[in-house]
Amino acid sequence: MAYLQGIEFSNGTIEFDVRGKDVQQQSFVGVAFHGVDGTTYDAIYFRPFNFKTEDPARRKRAVQYISHPTYTWQKLRAEHPGEYEQPVSPVPDPNAWFHVRVIVAAPKVSVFVDKAKEPSLVVNQLSDRHKGRVGLWVGNNSGGDFANLKIVPRE
C-alpha cells in the first residue's frame, strides 16, 4: 500500500485508472480508504485475471470490498458469499488500463468501471471508521500501474 501524504478522506469520490495483468492469482489492484496504517483500512480491489475467465464462479469474483483487519476476503466469502465481491460490467481487457470510480457515502460504497451508469458493486462499509488515509493498494505482492488519481471530497 502506498498512502498519499497529507490526504484525509471521509466521503466523496475516488477516481483512477489502473492496469493489472491476466495472470491468475498474481494481479490484485485497487484503492484503500479510511486507512489508519498498513493493516487497518477499507479497500476496493480488482482481480483482472477473473474479468474474462470462462469459469463463472471466478468471473463473479472480479471486484472485492474488504475491511481489514477484521473482514478479510476469506471471511467475507465464507460468511457472506456473493455480497462483497461481484463481476465487473462492462468487462475490461484484463491486461489494459480501465477507469474506476469509487463513491463513498458512508456507510454505502459504490464502484463503477469505465463509463458504466450502473455500479459493479454496492456494499455497506463494515468498519466504524468514517475518515482516514487514502492509498493505492496491491495484494499478494502483485504489481499494478496507476494513473490519473482524482479525489473529490463530498461537501
Side-chain angles (χ1 to χ4, degrees):
M1 172 138 34
Y3 278 120
L4 305 170
Q5 295 300 314
I7 302 285
E8 184 172 84
F9 178 79
S10 178
N11 286 316
T13 304
I14 304 168
E15 290 191 65
F16 58 97
D17 295 324
V18 64
R19 180 176 56 189
K21 292 184 180 175
D22 191 7
V23 180
Q24 190 171 345
Q25 300 302 323
Q26 295 186 30
S27 185
F28 304 88
V29 292
V31 64
F33 58 95
H34 296 178
V36 175
D37 53 31
T39 59
T40 304
Y41 56 86
D42 286 11
I44 294 292
Y45 71 90
F46 296 86
R47 299 178 180 102
F49 55 86
N50 282 345
F51 288 175
K52 292 189 174 187
T53 181
E54 293 185 20
D55 179 348
R58 283 185 36 220
R59 200 173 19 238
K60 293 178 184 176
R61 299 174 177 163
V63 59
Q64 172 87 49
Y65 165 84
I66 54 175
S67 183
H68 280 206
T70 307
Y71 297 99
T72 63
W73 71 266
Q74 298 97 324
K75 180 179 180 76
L76 293 173
R77 186 177 291 170
E79 296 178 6
H80 305 275
E83 188 174 343
Y84 295 97
E85 57 187 348
Q86 291 289 314
V88 171
S89 180
V91 180
D93 176 336
N95 290 302
W97 288 96
F98 62 98
H99 186 75
V100 177
R101 182 169 40 110
V102 177
I103 299 173
V104 180
K108 189 166 83 168
V109 178
S110 304
V111 182
F112 297 82
V113 173
D114 288 330
K115 296 179 182 183
K117 298 203 184 306
E118 296 296 320
S120 289
L121 180 68
V122 178
V123 297
N124 284 322
Q125 286 178 262
L126 296 171
S127 71
D128 58 0
R129 293 179 306 279
H130 299 290
K131 63 181 179 179
R133 301 169 78 185
V134 174
L136 304 176
W137 186 96
V138 296
N140 200 31
N141 296 314
S142 71
D145 297 312
F146 296 85
N148 304 316
L149 177 66
K150 180 179 176 183
I151 300 170
V152 179
R154 192 168 103 200
E155 302 290 325

